[in-house]
Amino acid sequence: MFGVTGCKGGKKLFCKLTDNRSTTLTKKQQAIEDREYELLVIAKALVVEEGFANLTMDKIAAASPYSKGTIYNHFTSKEDVISALGSQALLHEISLFRRAQTYDGLSREKVVAMHVAYHLFARIEPILSMCVLTSRTPWVIEKTSPERLAYINRLEEELVAITDAIFARGLSSHDLTLPEGMTTDSIIFANWSMAFGSNALINNAANSSCVARILQSQSILMNINIMLDGMGWLPLSSEHDYQQVWQHIEEDIFSDEVAYIATLKR
Amino acid sequence: MFGVTGCKGGKKLFCKLTDNRSTTLTKKQQAIEDREYELLVIAKALVVEEGFANLTMDKIAAASPYSKGTIYNHFTSKEDVISALGSQALLHEISLFRRAQTYDGLSREKVVAMHVAYHLFARIEPILSMCVLTSRTPWVIEKTSPERLAYINRLEEELVAITDAIFARGLSSHDLTLPEGMTTDSIIFANWSMAFGSNALINNAANSSCVARILQSQSILMNINIMLDGMGWLPLSSEHDYQQVWQHIEEDIFSDEVAYIATLKR
DNA sequence: ACCTGAACACCGTTCAAGT
DNA sequence: ACCTGAACACCGTTCAAGT
């Protein structure tokens, strides 16, 4: 349904993956962006097939209609390709977070919607998710172009801005009262840490019998409940069935994504 | 004071870095282990000097008294070296966690002590900390020897066993009552996620203006307070000055480490 | 101005020879 | 049995030539 190359009827639900949102591009610039997207699709497919360890620039060139030199016009190094895939992931996350924001519910339910989005993304795009983790690594960062690092920063700030809006709503609705010494930033940091940490560990469950043993189906929601309860964000998990909220969010906002994940399992 | 090679009076405070704890080794096995440790010290120093991107097997060999072939007797690949450094990190963390357990205080204070240990480790050994993050990456895992992956798993399980003991104490002292649907495992997972996530993001602050902006000095403790409050672990942060507890832990248990970090800042 | 792919150089990795 | 380092092979990266 949402294959590597396929887009549902041009709606670009899953394909808004380049940064052509605010600026109008010349035809040539657009062509270059399209080619970069094309190359990244190829790179991702290669990783799916042969793993990160076997990804080579040669293979990317061979699997594309372009030459090695052209690949290097887009990416300064192999690691830069991974970072570019990571930035695609962020772009996709941004669009999912935007969608999560539209969930019609209490402020805390909107936060849960954001975490649903984050978790679904990790399942829809496991490879891109890995790229986000990998691209946070000095190994990769050190060989990523400064331009792309700056771009990743911009995307991250955009993500933070979206979450910021949701947290502001919690405050204005008085569902959340900032505990002493806490700021909106620290709330964002707590959410980000928990989401990133849970996700990173779960991604590695396949490699770590230890993590796999700890893991249960609802451990993500549990972590989020613990955290939001700790902030005193109303209604508390003891008073409200967030498991059901999670399901409603999946059905109302992310039904396409859930359906897609179901096809993956087969 | 605790330099790369130096150990304080043979006490091996910082140097218990190989897995020779339960088994007695022959003289030859011991020599091989010592050499592996020697090589890892060299590798770490090279990363400090020239970064991860410039680490090569040639340089490790050149900086050591051994040949390339011997390096490959210890490590199956360059990535295997990174994983080996990651396992050193885990070994060091285990010893710090053991020490954290000795803090004489309430059950929740002991949990804080563990997080202090984790945080101090990240500051004492930033490179090894990065190696833990990097070695959780498919890029590195795919080229790590199965034996080392199994070893890392063993170490992780040991870490979990230590934290398990602390959480059991919380339950037996009735400071912690498991909320419905929660198990000890989910408590461990929440703590691990939060600690790993916070740490990973902070490690990357240097590269991400976004994270740097969010960060404040006490954001780690704040995250932990939120999480433990959310579990209802008594006494709550509103009733107890955990900032002061953090300081006491640093003074009572980790004064050497704190002093060492102070020397780094200069 | 951009693309090409042969050529280069730099490692990662191996293995025959040595001890 | 283990160590050595020359040799190999495989990329990552560049750049002179082509369009």
Side-chain angles (χ1 to χ4, degrees):
Chain A
M1 193 169 177
F2 310 110
V4 170
T5 52
C7 286
K8 202 185 178 187
K11 269 186 73 184
K12 297 230 165 192
L13 184 65
F14 275 81
C15 299
K16 196 188 171 204
L17 293 168
T18 48
D19 191 31
N20 56 0
R21 287 160 298 164
S22 47
T23 53
T24 330
L25 300 173
T26 66
K27 217 170 184 177
K28 180 172 276 180
Q29 282 175 314
Q30 185 57 56
I32 289 172
E33 278 214 1
D34 287 348
R35 191 171 56 193
E36 181 147 331
Y37 175 65
E38 194 186 343
L39 290 172
L40 288 174
V41 168
I42 290 168
K44 188 170 78 179
L46 283 171
V47 172
V48 170
E49 283 157 31
E50 313 182 34
F52 283 89
N54 295 310
L55 181 70
T56 72
M57 297 301 257
D58 260 319
K59 285 181 189 170
I60 296 175
S64 80
Y66 312 108
S67 70
K68 270 178 149 191
T70 299
I71 312 291
Y72 275 88
N73 274 348
H74 287 276
F75 312 104
T76 60
S77 68
K78 183 181 159 184
E79 285 75 10
D80 203 40
V81 175
I82 301 298
S83 292
L85 287 171
S87 72
Q88 274 204 340
L90 290 177
L91 222 32
H92 194 154
E93 280 173 10
I94 286 171
S95 83
L96 290 177
F97 274 37
R98 288 245 166 75
R99 209 121 61 74
Q101 242 183 338
T102 68
Y103 182 72
D104 187 25
L106 301 168
S107 64
R108 178 160 164 171
E109 292 177 347
K110 279 171 184 286
V111 177
V112 173
M114 239 165 43
H115 284 283
V116 172
Y118 192 75
H119 182 59
L120 287 179
F121 173 71
R123 307 229 280 162
I124 291 169
E125 294 282 10
I127 295 297
L128 290 189
S129 236
M130 295 285 199
C131 287
V132 175
L133 180 64
T134 308
S135 69
R136 293 200 87 85
T137 266
W139 189 297
V140 171
I141 289 171
E142 289 173 9
K143 299 199 79 182
T144 298
S145 69
E147 293 75 25
R148 201 175 304 278
L149 287 179
Y151 177 52
I152 288 173
N153 260 314
R154 266 211 325 285
L155 293 178
E156 276 183 2
E157 303 222 358
E158 202 163 326
L159 264 183
V160 168
I162 295 171
T163 61
D164 208 23
I166 297 186
F167 296 140
R169 195 184 286 252
L171 290 170
S172 69
S173 67
H174 300 289
D175 291 333
L176 172 67
T177 313
L178 278 186
E180 202 180 340
M182 212 174 283
T183 64
T184 316
D185 282 348
S186 53
I187 299 256
I188 293 177
F189 182 65
N191 274 276
W192 196 358
S193 298
M194 189 56 109
F196 184 83
S198 307
N199 195 53
L201 294 179
I202 285 178
N203 267 339
N204 275 280
N207 307 300
S208 164
S209 69
C210 182
V211 172
R213 207 159 32 71
I214 281 174
L215 227 64
Q216 312 153 294
S217 59
Q218 282 304 321
S219 39
I220 295 264
L221 177 58
M222 212 171 280
N223 281 359
I224 292 158
N225 276 338
I226 289 169
M227 187 185 57
L228 296 175
D229 284 351
M231 293 173 179
W233 201 316
L234 303 176
L236 299 180
S237 68
S238 54
E239 310 162 334
H240 202 67
D241 186 348
Y242 284 103
Q243 177 112 27
Q244 202 171 63
V245 170
W246 186 288
Q247 253 166 32
H248 281 164
I249 294 166
E250 285 193 345
E251 287 161 13
D252 293 359
I253 312 282
F254 300 114
S255 58
D256 284 354
E257 282 78 3
V258 171
Y260 174 62
I261 289 169
T263 69
L264 289 182
K265 278 185 189 153
R266 267 196 251 116
Chain B
M1 192 171 177
F2 311 109
V4 169
T5 52
C7 287
K8 200 183 175 186
K11 269 185 74 186
K12 297 229 168 194
L13 183 65
F14 275 81
C15 299
K16 194 187 173 207
L17 294 167
T18 48
D19 191 30
N20 56 0
R21 286 160 298 162
S22 47
T23 52
T24 328
L25 301 172
T26 66
K27 216 170 185 177
K28 179 172 278 182
Q29 282 174 315
Q30 185 57 54
I32 290 173
E33 278 214 2
D34 287 348
R35 193 172 56 192
E36 181 147 331
Y37 175 65
E38 194 186 346
L39 289 172
L40 288 174
V41 168
I42 290 168
K44 187 170 78 179
L46 283 171
V47 172
V48 170
E49 283 156 32
E50 312 181 35
F52 283 89
N54 295 310
L55 181 69
T56 71
M57 297 301 258
D58 259 318
K59 285 182 189 169
I60 296 175
S64 79
Y66 313 107
S67 70
K68 271 177 145 191
T70 299
I71 312 290
Y72 274 89
N73 274 348
H74 287 275
F75 311 105
T76 59
S77 68
K78 185 181 158 184
E79 285 75 11
D80 203 39
V81 175
I82 301 299
S83 291
L85 287 170
S87 72
Q88 274 205 340
L90 290 177
L91 223 32
H92 193 155
E93 280 173 10
I94 286 171
S95 83
L96 290 177
F97 274 37
R98 288 247 165 73
R99 209 122 60 75
Q101 242 183 338
T102 67
Y103 181 72
D104 187 24
L106 300 169
S107 65
R108 180 162 163 170
E109 291 177 347
K110 280 172 185 283
V111 177
V112 173
M114 237 164 44
H115 284 282
V116 171
Y118 192 74
H119 183 58
L120 287 178
F121 173 71
R123 307 229 280 161
I124 291 169
E125 295 282 10
I127 295 296
L128 290 189
S129 236
M130 296 284 199
C131 288
V132 175
L133 179 64
T134 308
S135 69
R136 295 200 86 82
T137 265
W139 190 298
V140 171
I141 289 172
E142 289 173 8
K143 300 199 79 180
T144 298
S145 69
E147 293 74 26
R148 202 174 304 278
L149 287 179
Y151 176 52
I152 288 172
N153 259 315
R154 264 213 324 285
L155 294 177
E156 276 183 2
E157 302 223 358
E158 201 162 327
L159 264 183
V160 168
I162 295 172
T163 60
D164 207 24
I166 297 186
F167 295 141
R169 196 185 285 254
L171 289 171
S172 68
S173 66
H174 299 288
D175 292 333
L176 172 67
T177 313
L178 278 186
E180 200 180 341
M182 212 175 282
T183 64
T184 316
D185 282 348
S186 54
I187 299 257
I188 292 177
F189 182 64
N191 275 275
W192 195 0
S193 297
M194 189 57 110
F196 183 83
S198 307
N199 194 53
L201 294 179
I202 285 179
N203 268 339
N204 274 279
N207 306 299
S208 164
S209 70
C210 183
V211 172
R213 205 159 36 69
I214 281 173
L215 227 64
Q216 311 153 294
S217 59
Q218 282 304 320
S219 39
I220 295 265
L221 177 58
M222 211 171 284
N223 281 359
I224 292 158
N225 276 338
I226 289 169
M227 187 186 57
L228 296 175
D229 284 351
M231 293 172 181
W233 202 315
L234 302 175
L236 299 179
S237 68
S238 53
E239 310 161 333
H240 202 68
D241 187 347
Y242 284 103
Q243 177 112 30
Q244 202 171 62
V245 170
W246 187 289
Q247 252 165 34
H248 281 163
I249 294 165
E250 284 193 347
E251 287 160 13
D252 293 0
I253 312 281
F254 299 115
S255 58
D256 285 353
E257 282 78 4
V258 171
Y260 174 64
I261 289 170
T263 68
L264 289 183
K265 278 185 189 153
R266 270 197 246 115

